[in-house]
Amino acid sequence: MALLFGDMIFALEQKNSGIIDEANREAWPNTMKNIMYVYNDTKIVIPGHKTWGDFILLPHTLEIVQNHGK
């Protein structure tokens, strides 16, 4: 079982990426995929802001990042 804390993981109530001008948006999707693979047994995820949750926050963050600017 894993517990993840990540400033750039989004809570479910966050529906867009917000201001991520300084983020490496090219690397972010692959980073999220790697985290999801390595920590696939994650039970608790604590985002940088708003409500904590479980593994579903990781694919939620990936989806937001992939749709940024669309």
Side-chain angles (χ1 to χ4, degrees):
M1 180 178 116
L3 169 105
L4 294 177
F5 176 83
D7 186 44
M8 297 309 292
I9 295 174
F10 300 135
L12 288 179
E13 58 270 37
Q14 186 162 342
K15 302 300 181 200
N16 61 53
S17 59
I19 300 170
I20 58 171
D21 296 339
E22 295 180 6
N24 184 339
R25 291 186 301 252
E26 291 179 20
W28 199 342
N30 285 333
T31 300
M32 289 308 302
K33 289 175 187 174
N34 287 336
I35 290 170
M36 289 165 46
Y37 176 76
V38 172
Y39 298 102
N40 61 13
D41 63 342
T42 298
K43 301 295 183 210
I44 300 172
V45 178
I46 303 172
H49 304 280
K50 301 186 182 183
T51 309
W52 62 275
D54 57 15
F55 186 87
I56 196 70
L57 271 63
L58 303 178
H60 172 70
T61 299
L62 178 59
E63 181 179 355
I64 288 175
V65 171
Q66 288 175 327
N67 290 325
H68 177 76
K70 289 184 179 179

